[in-house]
Amino acid sequence: MAVLWLQFVASAVLILLAAHFLASSADTVADRTGLGRSFIGVVMLATATSLPELATGISSIAWLDAPDLAIGDAFGSNLFNLMIIGLADLYWQNGPVLNAVTRTSVMVGALGAGLIGLATLAIFIYSETDLTDDWYLSPFTILLMLGFVAAMYLIYRHSQQTQDAPGVDEPEEQAKPDVRRQSLSRALTIYAISAAVVVASAVWLADVGEQIAETMHWAESFVGTQFLAISTSLPEIGTSFAALRLNAPDLAITNVLGSNVFNMGIVLFFDDIAFTDGAVWSAVSTVHIISGMIALLMTMVVIVGIMTRPRKRVGNLWTPEGALLVGGYGGASALLFLLA
C-alpha cells in the first residue's frame, strides 16, 4: 500500500510541475497571437489540463475494463473543477475573482452546463431502456461531440467580438508582470512537452487508482468520482493558480470551465469508443446522475456570480458563490461516498 501512495505522490508532483509551465506558455501564446486569454484558456489550457481525464478514461476502459472508473473520473473532475473556482475566490487578493473575468466565461459555463446535462440524461435514459445498448456508439455520444465542436466555434466568435467591441461593464485587462516574455515558438515547445508529461502521468494514475480501489475495497464509481478525479484535476489546480499569479483571472476561470466542456464533449466521446461492448452509458452506475446534477447547480452558481457583479466578500474572506462551490463539492463527496 505504501508503494501505491508513493506512486500517487510522484505522479501528482510531475503533474503540478508541468501545470506551471502550461500556464505560463499559454499566457505567452495569448499575448503573442492576440487571440485573448479567454479563448486560449478554453482551447489550449483546458485541452491540456483535461488530457489526464482523456488518458485515464481510455486506459481505465481499454486496459482495466473499468467503465465506472472512467465515467466517474469525468463527472468527478467537473465537480472538482468548479470547486477550484471557490478556492480561487479565496486566493485572489483583488476582490471577488468573478468580478475580474469577462462575460466570455458565462458562455463557456453555459455551454458546459448544456453538455453536462446531456451526459447526465444519457445515463438516466440508458438506465431505463436497453433500446440502443448494443450500438457501438451511442446517439448521445455523437451529440456530445457535435456539441463540443459547436461550443468551440461559439466561444471563438464571442471572444473575438468581445475583443473588438468590449462592453462598458467588462473588467479591464490585468496588468502583466514586467518580465521578459518568451517567443511564440519557445512557448509552443514548452506547451507540447508539458502536455506530454501530463498525459504520461495520467496513464500512471489510472493504474494506481484501480489498484487502490481493489486494496481498499472501495467502489469503482466512488474512486473514479472522488479519488481519481482529484488526481487528474491537479493540472487544473496548478494552471489556474499559476494564471492567477500571472494576473490572468480570465485564463484561470475559462481554463476550469473549458475543462468541463472538454470532459463532456471529448473525454466521454472517446470513452464510449474505447468501450467495445455496446454503449458505455449502459455499463455504469446511476450514481453519476447525482454528480451531473450537482455539477449543473454549481455551474449555475458561477454564471449567476458573473452576471450579478459587482460582488462583495463576506467578512473579507469569501463571496457567497465561493462558499457555495466549496460546500457543494464537500456535500457531493459525502453523498457519493454513502451511495457508491
Side-chain angles (χ1 to χ4, degrees), residues 20 62 68 71 73 89 97-98 147 204 208 213 224 228 261 279 285 292 327 334:
H20 169 76
D68 256 323
I71 302 302
D73 181 33
D89 191 47
V97 72
L98 295 182
W204 191 8
V208 173
L228 198 57
V261 174
S285 170

Side-chain angles (χ1 to χ4, degrees), residues 10 28 35 47 51 60 71 74 79 87 92 106 109 111 131 197 209 252 274 280 288 294 325:
T28 299
L35 290 173
T47 297
L51 289 176
S60 294
I71 302 302
L79 293 170
L87 297 179
W92 184 246
V106 173
L111 292 169
L131 186 60
V197 172
V280 72
H288 303 304
I294 296 175
L325 291 171

Side-chain angles (χ1 to χ4, degrees), residues 68-181:
D68 256 323
L69 204 63
I71 302 302
D73 181 33
F75 276 87
S77 292
N78 290 345
L79 293 170
F80 194 82
N81 289 343
L82 291 162
M83 192 266 288
I84 291 173
I85 298 178
L87 297 179
D89 191 47
L90 176 65
Y91 177 83
W92 184 246
Q93 298 299 308
N94 300 323
V97 72
L98 295 182
N99 283 356
V101 299
T102 65
R103 294 282 167 84
T104 301
S105 298
V106 173
M107 170 170 279
V108 180
L111 292 169
L115 292 179
I116 292 171
L118 184 59
T120 304
L121 180 62
I123 297 176
F124 175 76
I125 293 295
Y126 275 86
S127 70
E128 298 294 325
T129 179
D130 58 359
L131 186 60
T132 58
D133 279 3
D134 56 345
W135 289 23
Y136 176 68
L137 202 60
S138 165
F140 281 97
T141 303
I142 297 172
L143 286 175
L144 285 170
M145 170 57 82
L146 293 176
F148 174 81
V149 173
M152 291 299 99
Y153 174 75
L154 291 172
I155 291 167
Y156 173 74
R157 288 296 302 270
H158 183 77
S159 178
Q160 293 304 299
Q161 290 171 1
T162 301
Q163 282 189 312
D164 293 340
V168 294
D169 59 340
E170 296 292 354
E172 294 181 2
E173 181 77 7
Q174 298 291 327
K176 297 178 183 178
D178 186 19
V179 296
R180 183 182 180 89
R181 305 299 291 177

Side-chain angles (χ1 to χ4, degrees), residues 23-325:
S24 60
S25 60
D27 190 49
T28 299
V29 172
D31 181 43
R32 294 297 190 187
T33 61
L35 290 173
R37 283 169 165 168
S38 294
F39 182 69
I40 291 298
V42 173
V43 176
M44 284 191 66
L45 204 55
T47 297
T49 57
S50 293
L51 289 176
E53 284 83 0
L54 179 60
T56 299
I58 293 174
S59 57
S60 294
I61 292 174
W63 299 344
L64 306 176
D65 192 26
D68 256 323
L69 204 63
I71 302 302
D73 181 33
F75 276 87
S77 292
N78 290 345
L79 293 170
F80 194 82
N81 289 343
L82 291 162
M83 192 266 288
I84 291 173
I85 298 178
L87 297 179
D89 191 47
L90 176 65
Y91 177 83
W92 184 246
Q93 298 299 308
N94 300 323
V97 72
L98 295 182
N99 283 356
V101 299
T102 65
R103 294 282 167 84
T104 301
S105 298
V106 173
M107 170 170 279
V108 180
L111 292 169
L115 292 179
I116 292 171
L118 184 59
T120 304
L121 180 62
I123 297 176
F124 175 76
I125 293 295
Y126 275 86
S127 70
E128 298 294 325
T129 179
D130 58 359
L131 186 60
T132 58
D133 279 3
D134 56 345
W135 289 23
Y136 176 68
L137 202 60
S138 165
F140 281 97
T141 303
I142 297 172
L143 286 175
L144 285 170
M145 170 57 82
L146 293 176
F148 174 81
V149 173
M152 291 299 99
Y153 174 75
L154 291 172
I155 291 167
Y156 173 74
R157 288 296 302 270
H158 183 77
S159 178
Q160 293 304 299
Q161 290 171 1
T162 301
Q163 282 189 312
D164 293 340
V168 294
D169 59 340
E170 296 292 354
E172 294 181 2
E173 181 77 7
Q174 298 291 327
K176 297 178 183 178
D178 186 19
V179 296
R180 183 182 180 89
R181 305 299 291 177
Q182 299 172 353
S183 66
L184 179 59
S185 59
R186 179 180 174 82
L188 290 172
T189 301
I190 292 174
Y191 171 87
I193 294 173
S194 301
V197 172
V198 165
V199 173
S201 300
V203 175
W204 191 8
L205 272 173
D207 183 57
V208 173
E210 174 70 10
Q211 292 182 59
I212 290 176
E214 293 178 356
T215 304
M216 300 297 291
H217 304 291
W218 288 340
E220 285 183 349
S221 58
F222 173 75
V223 173
T225 305
Q226 297 301 311
F227 184 81
L228 198 57
I230 293 174
S231 304
T232 56
S233 290
L234 287 176
E236 281 86 354
I237 297 176
T239 52
S240 293
F241 280 85
L244 292 177
R245 289 192 294 271
L246 292 168
N247 289 320
D250 253 332
L251 197 64
I253 302 304
T254 54
N255 165 42
V256 171
L257 295 175
S259 291
N260 288 358
V261 174
F262 191 93
N263 288 343
M264 297 294 96
I266 296 296
V267 173
L268 293 181
F269 177 81
F270 282 101
D271 283 351
D272 200 10
I273 288 179
F275 188 76
T276 57
D277 296 329
V280 72
W281 312 104
S282 62
V284 298
S285 170
T286 54
V287 74
H288 303 304
I289 295 174
I290 297 174
S291 302
M293 293 177 67
I294 296 175
L296 280 173
L297 292 174
M298 292 172 69
T299 305
M300 292 302 105
V301 169
V302 175
I303 292 173
V304 171
I306 298 174
M307 295 298 294
T308 58
R309 63 188 179 207
R311 310 298 292 167
K312 294 183 179 180
R313 285 179 172 167
V314 178
N316 294 321
L317 188 63
W318 265 340
T319 60
E321 294 78 23
L324 283 171
L325 291 171

